[in-house]
Amino acid sequence: MVAAISRKRFLTGWTAFIILFFLFFVILPTIYILSYAFTEWGSIEALLEDQGRMDLIWGAIGASFQIAGIVTVIDIVTGLPMAWMLVRKDFRGKNLLDTLIDMPLAVPTAALGFSSAMFFAITDESLQAPSFALGTIGSPYLLIILLHVVFSYPYMVRSLSAILVQIDQTYETAGRTLGASPLTAARTITLPLFRAGLVTGIILCFARSLSETGGTMIALATMANARGFATGPTLIGEWKDALDSQPDLAAPLAFVSILLILLSLALLVVIKLVVMRVHLPMGRIWPRPERLLSRGVFPKVKDGLAVLFLVVFVLVPSFFIFTYVGSVEPTAFDWAPFIRSLLYSFLIAGVVTGIDIALGVPLALYIAKNRSGRLAGALDVLVNVPLIVPTAALGYSLGVFWASQEIVPTHDVLLIVLAHVAFTYPLVVRNVAGAVEEVDPAYEETARTLGARPVQAFRRVLYPMVKSSILAGAIMAFTRSLGETGATQAVVANAQTAPVYIVDLINLETAAGYYSAGLACIMLIVISFLFMLALRYVTNRRAR
Amino acid sequence: MPSVRLIGLRKAFGGIKAADGLDLEVRNGEYLCLLGPTGAGKTTALRMIAGLVSPDEGKVLFNGEDVTNTPVEERKAALLPQTYSLFPQLTVEENITFGLDIRGADDRLKEQVLISMLDLVRLSGRSTAFPRELSGGMQQRTALARALASGADMLLLDEPLRALDARLRISLRTELRSLVKSLRMTTIHVTHDQDEALVMADRVAIIREGRIIQVGTPKEVWDRPATPFVANFLGQSNFFIGEVLQSSPCTLLRTPDGTVLKGRSSDLIPGTQAVMGVKIGSTELSKERPGYLQAKVERILFEGRNLHMDMMTGGGQRLSAKLPSWKKGRITVGDTVGIYWEEEKGTVFSMPANGLESELKVE
């Protein structure tokens, strides 16, 4: 009896600790910068007067949102036929295609930025880009759109096909037997059932594009004459870098971060409302043209174009860097600093993943098991916040938060770890909470009636069932931390993680610098690729 | 083996009262079936006994000892859920020894218990199979063995036969009962299937809207239902409303159109309004004998073993009857028949407070 009560108290205390950790170490630092608007309103007012800076800020923020919007539309238009093909059609090489789609996910965005820019853009002479590179894009705006499509496309295809698999094909079959052509049936019956997948895809793509820093910075640095163009996150990176010499940048930095956070959160709400509520005029039918488009050469052309797009605009730019390193004159590469930065990155990613698991799994359990409760519901919504907020803004906000109080010493490594925990923690929570919800609570309850204490019931019964999701979440967190540039730079300007090191190499604008960056990128790709394989292995095993 | 007592249990989920002053006594070693319609609070009652749900009010006693706040794992009351919840990552053998493993039993004891359990549920050949490789009946037996091996002295069965196909369900009734009885476990079996409850139980407890309305042996609850609801829920009844003329040695009830009906003796006060219920299987029809009242046959359904007749009286009341199939052809649609019953088969109840219709409603 006494033991039972004390155990209950311990459990309550532990749950409270986990929730407090989440609120004070993840959510609060993420949005802390918003308070700047209240405490330092004077300096923001002064900034609003500063026409030159305001133009720069609005230009960058505007570019960020425009690019994210355009990228998302391109992803939907090109991703939908691809998702359809992967789910609904059977053809030779389907498995290969399926694997190819995921390949860009294995490339850290820093490497992706370098590789894509080299392929698409007009580059600096000293880079010596291979002669067969496209090398025609002169507009930084266009280049960044192309780059963001490269890394967000797989997310869109994956979210769309995940939902498509779940939609019962008998609806469409029924429509077909009632006389609808394949296109009409797909458009009027399946697509409207699709909204949930579309929302996930749109939010993922938008958030990724809005948040992307490292790849964008590298692409801009690689391109000749891209000076003056900035997106919100790159502006934060630049200014944070210069903050030590120009302390008056504090207000603009805070302002850009606030704008990015508020706008991205507002956008999350708007996308959810618009896509779920607005009734698209899907009901209209044009039998003749749709029948025509369903037959003969049209479907083949559509599929062919989808594959062509994948190859030219996604795969080739992702891996173009291999041809560069192969074709250019080798120069001496100083491995030592790169290896050091790589180890530094690994150390951070490892610690971050450890924290994510130790403190994320309990939160996921709490959310999944108290889904109907108000607190758990609120936590479930809050978990999305660090995912949608651009990591550069998150990093800056977090840096300011920890500098403003004296609980945690503001040591570089510690700050970077805390920043990375903030945006990777939700990945683990999401993955695990989703998996736990799938498990029938009767398993654990039965175990309890057979004499298992709550901890034993978790370890013996639930844990084996969700083990692979925990691992999958951990690998995602690890690779995200390993490839992150924006948050790292925003929290500690001169941190020497591997992606930041690559940015610095490219900024040298010398042949040796480019070559070294290329080699470093390839190493990073290979390492990430191994992790990706591990992830696929783990998730496939779960599917069985 | 413990006895169980539930005293005044109340539990509400949002606005829904799943237990509303629930009292029940289960005797040591008894096989009790908790029978009721969907949503009556059967599963909630079972979960409160197991400790998975804590009541808002009231007490749960095991052997007279208050266990209301005792953690689930210390109650020694093993639950067998509808879908069995066999742990998919463990083999039959590992599932069965789960409870012993948890308690850190030594290998010799585990081996002994395992062999006797496998033998008991006839799964000796399948001990290394995984649950998904077993048939429904085997899964059910594994789950039972797991519960028995855990050292529990009480079994809580939540619709244990529901997931099985019809024929197997019937053959497993006796098997399950005799297995549990041979171990003299106190067993509480939740079901909505009246046949299952009548065949398997030592006593049946009928639950409705979170309250127990009658507890008794299968024969008692069948022959002497406590309320019109019980009379109708077990085997369906015809009901007649009227005024009590006398209550002993038999009860006489006069319906509004002046017909006088006979039923078993009761303690109703002459002059009050009352309801008489007669099971449709006890309602006899005859073309020759006038009976208590006459009705016209509107429909005859052939159900294999039985014929189901729907009739309409001159006063516009619908009545039903079940006759053995061999009587087929003696009565046809359109015939006017006399309806009667033995006076022992008519049970007279005082008029339900909310009217007969709401009393009989099965939600």
Side-chain angles (χ1 to χ4, degrees):
Chain A
M1 196 71 179
V2 175
I5 287 170
S6 73
R7 202 188 305 158
K8 225 172 203 169
R9 262 196 206 146
F10 171 76
L11 210 65
T12 317
W14 171 242
T15 309
F17 167 71
I18 292 297
I19 294 173
L20 288 178
F21 170 83
F22 171 65
L23 293 177
F24 286 99
F25 281 74
V26 177
I27 293 296
L28 187 61
T30 300
I31 55 173
Y32 175 76
I33 199 68
L34 298 181
S35 73
Y36 192 91
F38 301 102
T39 55
E40 306 276 334
W41 178 244
S43 60
I44 289 190
E45 227 171 6
L47 173 68
L48 292 173
E49 301 288 306
D50 185 342
Q51 202 56 49
R53 280 226 171 108
M54 284 309 290
D55 284 349
L56 208 56
I57 290 174
W58 284 121
I61 299 268
S64 272
F65 277 85
Q66 283 167 22
I67 288 172
I70 294 171
V71 165
T72 307
V73 171
I74 295 178
D75 282 339
I76 295 174
V77 172
T78 57
L80 193 55
M82 183 54 79
W84 203 277
M85 226 160 102
L86 286 175
V87 174
R88 289 288 164 84
K89 293 195 177 163
D90 266 316
F91 50 91
R92 243 180 10 175
K94 182 171 159 176
N95 275 335
L96 177 70
L97 193 65
D98 198 62
T99 314
L100 286 177
I101 303 257
D102 283 343
M103 297 271 278
L105 295 178
V107 183
T109 50
L112 214 55
F114 192 36
S115 184
S116 305
M118 205 182 299
F119 177 67
F120 287 124
I122 300 168
T123 46
D124 201 70
E125 273 300 303
S126 58
L127 174 69
Q128 297 174 302
S131 54
F132 44 88
L134 213 54
T136 50
I137 304 293
S139 148
Y141 188 80
L142 198 56
L143 176 66
I144 302 308
I145 289 178
L146 289 171
L147 168 65
H148 288 194
V149 166
V150 171
F151 67 74
S152 61
Y153 178 86
Y155 286 101
M156 181 60 87
V157 174
R158 282 288 162 239
S159 351
L160 292 181
S161 52
I163 296 291
L164 197 53
V165 170
Q166 287 172 15
I167 295 178
D168 193 341
Q169 215 174 338
T170 52
Y171 296 128
E172 228 175 286
T173 314
R176 296 279 310 276
T177 63
L178 296 171
S181 66
L183 178 61
T184 311
R187 192 178 56 82
T188 57
I189 299 166
T190 304
L191 277 188
L193 295 171
F194 220 50
R195 290 182 183 187
L198 212 54
V199 172
T200 321
I202 290 175
I203 290 174
L204 268 175
C205 289
F206 218 101
R208 285 289 280 161
S209 167
L210 212 54
S211 182
E212 217 295 317
T213 319
T216 310
M217 281 183 137
I218 290 174
L220 292 175
T222 309
M223 171 176 228
N225 307 318
R227 294 280 167 263
F229 180 82
T231 65
T234 63
L235 200 61
I236 292 178
E238 262 171 53
W239 283 352
K240 173 72 186 181
D241 217 12
L243 185 61
D244 281 339
S245 50
Q246 291 170 264
D248 68 318
L249 281 172
L253 263 170
F255 189 60
V256 176
S257 302
I258 291 172
L259 279 180
L260 276 176
I261 291 172
L262 286 183
L263 289 174
S264 58
L265 290 180
L267 204 78
L268 176 71
V269 176
V270 169
I271 289 174
K272 282 211 161 168
L273 290 185
V274 168
V275 183
M276 293 317 274
R277 299 261 168 88
V278 170
H279 190 73
L280 299 170
M282 288 287 197
R284 252 197 97 183
I285 291 168
W286 301 272
R288 205 167 292 214
E290 293 197 330
R291 183 146 310 176
L292 193 71
L293 282 173
S294 296
R295 287 197 185 142
V297 76
F298 288 103
K300 289 211 175 76
V301 168
K302 181 197 72 187
D303 291 347
L305 285 176
V307 175
L308 189 72
F309 181 87
L310 171 71
V311 171
V312 175
F313 287 94
V314 179
L315 293 179
V316 170
S318 300
F319 297 97
F320 194 69
I321 191 151
F322 284 90
T323 67
Y324 165 70
V325 174
S327 70
V328 80
E329 285 284 303
T331 47
F333 179 53
D334 185 4
W335 288 96
F338 176 64
I339 298 290
R340 216 177 307 128
S341 70
L342 202 58
L343 287 177
Y344 190 60
S345 283
F346 266 93
L347 174 76
I348 288 169
V351 173
V352 164
T353 309
I355 295 175
D356 285 345
I357 291 178
L359 301 175
V361 173
L363 186 72
L365 289 177
Y366 178 77
I367 290 178
K369 291 187 176 174
N370 298 281
R371 176 62 80 194
S372 50
R374 211 169 281 169
L375 178 61
L379 291 173
D380 190 40
V381 175
L382 282 181
V383 160
N384 292 318
V385 170
L387 282 181
I388 186 93
V389 167
T391 51
L394 181 153
Y396 185 69
S397 171
L398 187 126
V400 173
F401 175 75
W402 290 117
S404 73
Q405 50 66 57
E406 310 200 326
I407 308 165
V408 177
T410 50
H411 191 273
D412 282 3
V413 186
L414 201 58
L415 283 183
I416 296 175
V417 165
L418 285 170
H420 285 207
V421 165
F423 68 83
T424 56
Y425 187 79
L427 293 173
V428 173
V429 175
R430 285 252 75 111
N431 256 295
V432 178
V436 171
E437 266 167 55
E438 301 269 295
V439 177
D440 187 347
Y443 286 115
E444 263 186 298
E445 289 173 358
T446 309
R448 295 282 309 278
T449 70
L450 295 172
R453 279 179 277 118
V455 178
Q456 287 174 314
F458 171 74
R459 195 168 56 81
R460 299 261 190 152
V461 177
L462 187 57
Y463 172 71
M465 296 184 189
V466 299
K467 193 168 53 181
S468 54
S469 302
I470 296 176
L471 203 54
I475 293 175
M476 278 163 101
F478 192 91
T479 44
R480 274 297 286 274
S481 168
L482 203 61
E484 179 61 24
T485 318
T488 315
Q489 270 190 328
V491 71
V492 176
N494 52 353
Q496 282 303 308
T497 63
V500 175
Y501 178 73
I502 295 175
V503 177
D504 289 348
L505 279 178
I506 290 169
N507 277 331
L508 293 177
E509 296 189 31
T510 61
Y514 287 130
Y515 181 72
S516 306
L519 277 183
C521 282
I522 286 178
M523 269 200 62
L524 215 52
I525 291 175
V526 170
I527 291 166
S528 300
F529 204 78
L530 291 177
F531 273 102
M532 201 69 196
L533 282 182
L535 182 68
R536 277 186 82 97
Y537 175 71
V538 166
T539 47
N540 279 350
R541 207 174 43 174
R542 173 175 47 181
R544 241 186 291 141
Chain B
M1 307 294 140
S3 63
V4 179
R5 243 182 103 193
L6 309 181
I7 305 169
L9 289 182
R10 284 176 202 281
K11 180 75 193 179
F13 297 104
I16 299 155
K17 288 180 188 160
D20 188 15
L22 194 118
D23 294 299
L24 179 65
E25 187 153 7
V26 187
R27 295 169 194 151
N28 190 342
E30 181 175 40
Y31 196 115
L32 182 117
C33 276
L34 192 56
L35 174 69
T38 311
K42 304 184 293 282
T43 300
T44 304
L46 199 69
R47 290 168 67 85
M48 286 194 287
I49 298 169
L52 294 166
V53 167
S54 50
D56 297 337
E57 250 179 73
K59 279 181 186 166
V60 179
L61 308 183
F62 285 5
N63 276 339
E65 193 185 323
D66 188 348
V67 295
T68 316
N69 293 313
T70 305
V72 183
E73 62 271 22
E74 287 165 24
R75 295 193 185 199
K76 296 184 135 197
L79 176 73
L80 197 94
Q82 269 183 37
T83 47
Y84 317 137
S85 296
L86 289 171
F87 308 130
Q89 74 275 17
L90 304 181
T91 60
V92 167
E93 192 177 309
E94 290 163 338
N95 263 289
I96 293 177
T97 56
F98 180 86
L100 293 169
D101 278 336
I102 287 290
R103 236 167 285 124
D106 66 68
D107 288 350
R108 271 234 339 266
L109 177 66
K110 272 193 335 202
E111 190 67 27
Q112 271 175 9
V113 174
L114 180 66
I115 289 172
S116 64
M117 281 301 154
L118 286 172
D119 198 44
L120 189 67
V121 298
R122 305 191 321 277
L123 280 167
S124 301
R126 305 303 307 268
S127 63
T128 55
F130 283 95
R132 60 173 177 277
E133 300 161 358
L134 301 178
S135 68
M138 286 175 173
Q139 288 184 10
Q140 205 248 7
R141 301 207 300 267
T142 309
L144 192 63
R146 180 179 65 177
L148 299 175
S150 72
D153 41 31
M154 192 190 310
L155 264 184
L156 306 173
L157 310 174
D158 188 1
E159 307 249 9
L161 303 173
R162 192 177 200 171
L164 304 170
D165 63 61
R167 193 169 278 274
L168 190 60
R169 190 153 61 214
I170 289 170
S171 71
L172 276 181
R173 282 175 187 167
T174 42
E175 186 181 316
L176 177 60
R177 179 186 151 86
S178 57
L179 189 64
V180 173
K181 287 304 277 185
S182 72
L183 296 166
R184 293 200 294 276
M185 310 257 297
T186 304
T187 306
I188 301 171
H189 172 149
V190 157
T191 181
H192 67 280
D193 181 336
Q194 44 148 325
D195 295 339
E196 193 175 297
L198 295 173
V199 170
M200 297 180 74
D202 292 332
R203 287 194 307 154
V204 178
I206 291 138
I207 183 172
R208 186 189 189 205
E209 289 170 348
R211 249 177 303 215
I212 303 290
I213 40 182
Q214 188 175 8
V215 187
T217 62
K219 194 159 166 41
E220 277 165 9
V221 294
W222 179 270
D223 286 341
R224 299 178 174 258
T227 67
F229 175 80
V230 177
N232 202 39
F233 189 67
L234 292 174
Q236 202 183 340
S237 289
N238 291 312
F239 290 99
F240 305 93
I241 297 175
E243 188 194 334
V244 180
L245 298 180
Q246 68 168 62
S247 56
S248 136
C250 66
T251 308
L252 293 180
L253 190 77
R254 188 174 59 205
T255 63
D257 59 14
T259 316
V260 175
L261 309 174
K262 263 191 200 172
R264 209 165 59 235
S265 69
S266 63
D267 48 14
L268 293 166
I269 301 155
T272 54
Q273 286 285 302
V275 177
M276 183 181 293
V278 183
K279 292 258 155 70
I280 63 169
S282 307
T283 308
E284 295 184 33
L285 308 181
S286 165
K287 280 202 282 194
E288 295 80 32
R289 226 173 116 173
Y292 295 114
L293 65 167
Q294 281 80 46
K296 198 169 155 195
V297 176
E298 292 195 322
R299 188 168 68 158
I300 300 177
L301 297 174
F302 177 65
E303 290 177 341
R305 202 165 297 149
N306 294 314
L307 296 174
H308 181 102
M309 309 254 176
D310 286 326
M311 296 156 294
M312 175 82 89
T313 64
Q317 188 182 4
R318 289 186 184 284
L319 299 174
S320 299
K322 261 195 204 317
L323 306 178
S325 285
W326 55 264
K327 290 195 173 172
K328 196 168 193 291
R330 299 194 186 177
I331 296 171
T332 53
V333 173
D335 287 350
T336 298
V337 292
I339 297 174
Y340 67 100
W341 53 84
E342 294 165 22
E343 73 182 46
E344 269 304 298
K345 302 291 185 188
T347 311
V348 191
F349 310 96
S350 58
M351 193 68 194
N354 297 324
L356 183 61
E357 205 167 311
S358 82
E359 164 70 18
L360 298 181
K361 203 170 67 194
V362 174
E363 46 284 274

